[in-house]
């Protein structure tokens, strides 16, 4: 029996020629890089190690660009950012045991932030697998089990014939909604053995689309059209699905105010009359959302930060669109729609009837005025001026990457556009290596990294990477002498801080020792110094000695 929709399975003449006449000297590592190239990869991040040398030797025979970092965790952050800014899979080559384990917190952030990272990790030889009793260097009893709780999917390889299919399956998993990091494990001897398989020339790993069920969008559209006080929470899933235009069309059609989560910044225009911006931690905004009779949540699980630390208690009907089935109704009962944000918003915008409301914009303005009045009453001019200077210095199309530092906490709420931060998993050290990954993706656009002095010490070694690769990254280090946000938390909770003060280097001298130009600035000179650094080629460091404070997001006293 034949079908009109049968796939064309006959190899082309070029594929047949390549298969029958493979180049000499190929190994299992070549099968890996051939598969990646066939899938469309162009850049690989990583760090070599004993069991993974077959991967790195094969890179020498390929056209793939390699960006090597100095610490595996930082290589993971760089791959995370590459995946976020391009929407493409970012391959990450790691070695066995300690090398692989060092990447775990970066992969946790990639999972929390839905970044498509493809970790290809070596293993001890096949004969040594299964128990940790063989005495191989770097041996773990069950290496893939360590990663299983962190990544989206695990793909073990034990023979060369499994390599192309395993990588293709992992690639498809990484790019299927919800995006996320995946893990492929290949033993050392499989990577090193001569390849008897033909050259990999055709690989299909098209991600599947996750469309909404029509009966659910019909009910959701009816709820929105008939609502008296609808509101929308836009999460990171809207940004990753490139669905900002569809969100705006829907919001305007039903006159629903929109607040963007910290991960969803950029999903809705900041100055739009319906925009509640990103003041997710402010109680005025929380109260407004609680008062909505229909609340549409798109691409957010309403986790800790998006629910004002789980103080948010909606009183109306919640409709939740989420690609991660595990997050559907995980925090609040809802009409759960398991779907990609772009497809679901398109279905809603095409289905819903227009809803008139000439008071919505006024209600939004009232809330934002209350938020601003609260901030203005707290004598936080320094913090607002610093953030404004950073914003003014950054070119409009330049991405920014923020570590877990007080200025980033400000930016989550007050930065008027897209940004990338580690607020998914919340680990330190993300900002600078992530910015390097973004700069590798687009060498023509300067990139900003923002860290505190505590977070900077996690990734200071990557100044060598920035210099070696001539990456256009400017690193702003806000030096307050310790873990500033933890100092503030402890002072507020216990009356004094412990273990938060740090002896740290002279960051200007240290950067210059790597051959990276650096300047020590002040709040008054920050805008000019930062703009000059961003305009210069290659890496730059700007150090701002300053002690910043957080705003109080609720009533004082």
């Amino acid at each position: 029996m034949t079908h009109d929709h049968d796939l064309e399975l006959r190899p082309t003449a070029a594929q047949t020629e390549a298969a029958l006449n493979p180049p000499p000297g190929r190994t299992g590592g070549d099968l890996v890089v051939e598969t990646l190239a066939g899938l469309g990869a162009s850049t690989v991040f990583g760090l070599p190690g004993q069991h993974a040398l077959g991967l790195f030797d094969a890179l020498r025979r390929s056209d793939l660009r390699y960006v090597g970092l100095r610490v595996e965790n930082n290589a993971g952050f760089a791959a995370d950012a590459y995946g976020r800014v391009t929407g493409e899979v970012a391959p990450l080559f790691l070695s066995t045991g300690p090398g692989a384990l060092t990447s775990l917190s970066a992969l946790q952030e990639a999972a929390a932030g839905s970044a498509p990272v493809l970790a290809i990790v070596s293993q001890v030889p096949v004969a040594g697998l299964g128990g940790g009793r063989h005495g191989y260097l770097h041996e773990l009893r069950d290496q893939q089990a360590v990663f299983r709780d962190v990544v989206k999917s695990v793909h073990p390889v034990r023979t060369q014939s499994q390599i192309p299919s395993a990588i293709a399956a992992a690639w498809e998993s990484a790019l299927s909604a919800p995006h996320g990091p995946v893990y492929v494990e290949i033993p050392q001897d499989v990577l090193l053995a001569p390849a008897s398989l033909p050259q990999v020339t055709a690989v299909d790993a098209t991600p599947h689309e996750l469309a909404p069920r029509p009966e659910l969008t019909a009910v959701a559209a009816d709820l929105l059209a008939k609502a008296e006080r609808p509101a929308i929470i836009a999460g990171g899933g809207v940004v990753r699905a490139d669905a900002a235009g569809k969100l705006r069309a829907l919001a305007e059609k039903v006159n629903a105010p929109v607040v963007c989560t910290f991960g969803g910044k950029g999903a809705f225009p900041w100055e739009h009359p319906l925009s509640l911006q990103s003041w997710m931690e402010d109680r005025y905004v929380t109260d407004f959302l609680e008062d909505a009779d229909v609340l549409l949540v798109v691409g957010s699980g309403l986790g800790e930060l998006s629910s004002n630390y789980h103080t948010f208690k909606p009183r109306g009907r919640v409709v939740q669109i989420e690609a991660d089935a595990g997050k559907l109704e995980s925090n609040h009962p809802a009409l759960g729609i398991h779907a990609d944000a772009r497809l679901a918003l398109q279905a809603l915008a095409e289905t819903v009837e227009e809803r008139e409301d000439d008071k919505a914009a006024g209600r939004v303005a009232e809330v934002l005025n209350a938020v601003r009045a609260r901030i203005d009453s707290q004598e936080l001019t320094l913090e607002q001026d610093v953030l404004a200077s950073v914003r003014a210095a950054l070119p409009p199309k330049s991405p920014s990457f923020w570590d877990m530092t007080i200025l980033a906490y400000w930016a989550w709420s007050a930065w008027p556009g897209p940004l990338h931060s580690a607020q998914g998993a919340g680990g330190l050290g993300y900002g600078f290596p992530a910015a390097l990954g973004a700069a590798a993706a687009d060498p023509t656009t300067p990139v900003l990294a923002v860290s505190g002095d505590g977070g900077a010490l996690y990734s200071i070694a990557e100044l060598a990477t920035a210099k070696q690769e001539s990456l256009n990254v400017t690193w702003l280090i806000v030096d307050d002498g310790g873990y500033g946000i933890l100092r503030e938390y402890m002072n507020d909770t216990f009356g004094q801080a412990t273990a938060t003060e740090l002896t740290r280097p002279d960051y200007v001298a240290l950067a210059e020792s790597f051959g990276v130009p650096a300047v020590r600035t002040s709040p008054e000179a920050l805008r000019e110094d930062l703009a000059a650094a961003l305009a210069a080629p290659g890496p730059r460091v700007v150090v701002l000695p300053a002690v910043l404070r957080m705003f109080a997001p609720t009533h004082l006293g």
Side-chain angles (χ1 to χ4, degrees), residues 61-281:
R61 293 184 290 277
S62 81
D63 293 327
L64 295 176
R65 178 191 182 190
Y66 171 64
V67 179
L69 287 94
R70 301 306 192 267
V71 184
E72 287 87 355
N73 198 47
N74 295 332
F77 285 142
D80 169 301
Y82 185 98
R84 291 193 197 198
V85 300
T86 64
E88 302 170 1
V89 173
L92 173 65
F93 285 2
L94 300 170
S95 194
T96 319
L101 295 178
T102 303
S103 74
L104 281 170
S105 62
L107 293 176
Q108 183 190 8
E109 178 57 45
S114 297
V117 176
L118 170 54
I120 300 179
V121 184
S122 63
Q123 248 293 19
V124 299
V126 172
L129 296 172
R133 301 182 299 272
H134 302 278
Y136 285 103
L137 191 69
H138 308 325
E139 185 176 5
L140 292 167
R141 284 180 294 178
D142 191 350
Q143 181 171 284
Q144 60 181 287
V146 178
F147 286 81
R148 198 176 298 277
D149 190 47
V150 175
V151 300
K152 183 179 176 184
S153 58
V154 169
H155 306 264
V157 167
R158 296 297 176 257
T159 66
Q160 288 189 355
S161 61
Q162 296 172 352
I163 288 175
S165 295
I167 293 176
W171 186 282
E172 179 179 343
S173 175
L175 281 184
S176 295
H179 296 175
V182 293
Y183 171 89
V184 175
E185 178 182 285
I186 310 176
Q188 178 190 28
D189 51 339
V190 176
L191 290 170
L192 292 175
S196 57
L197 294 175
Q199 192 170 6
V200 181
T201 58
V203 194
D204 181 25
T206 305
H208 62 272
E209 290 195 323
L210 187 57
R213 286 165 40 203
E215 73 275 16
L216 295 177
T217 54
V219 172
D222 185 65
L223 288 170
L224 287 168
K226 294 177 178 177
E228 294 183 7
R229 299 177 309 282
I232 299 173
I233 296 177
V238 177
V239 177
R240 289 186 291 275
D242 194 21
K246 298 185 184 304
L247 173 65
R248 179 173 181 171
L250 175 64
E252 292 177 346
K253 194 171 183 181
V254 298
N255 276 290
V258 179
V259 60
C260 294
T261 70
F262 304 147
K265 293 177 75 67
F268 196 72
W270 187 260
E271 298 294 345
H272 192 285
L274 293 173
S275 175
L276 283 163
Q277 302 178 353
S278 292
W279 295 98
M280 295 296 295
E281 288 188 35

Side-chain angles (χ1 to χ4, degrees), residues 352-366:
V352 73
E353 295 182 6
E354 289 194 24
R355 177 187 166 276
E356 300 297 331
D357 187 347
D358 57 2
K359 297 181 180 179
R363 294 170 65 222
V364 168
E366 183 179 335

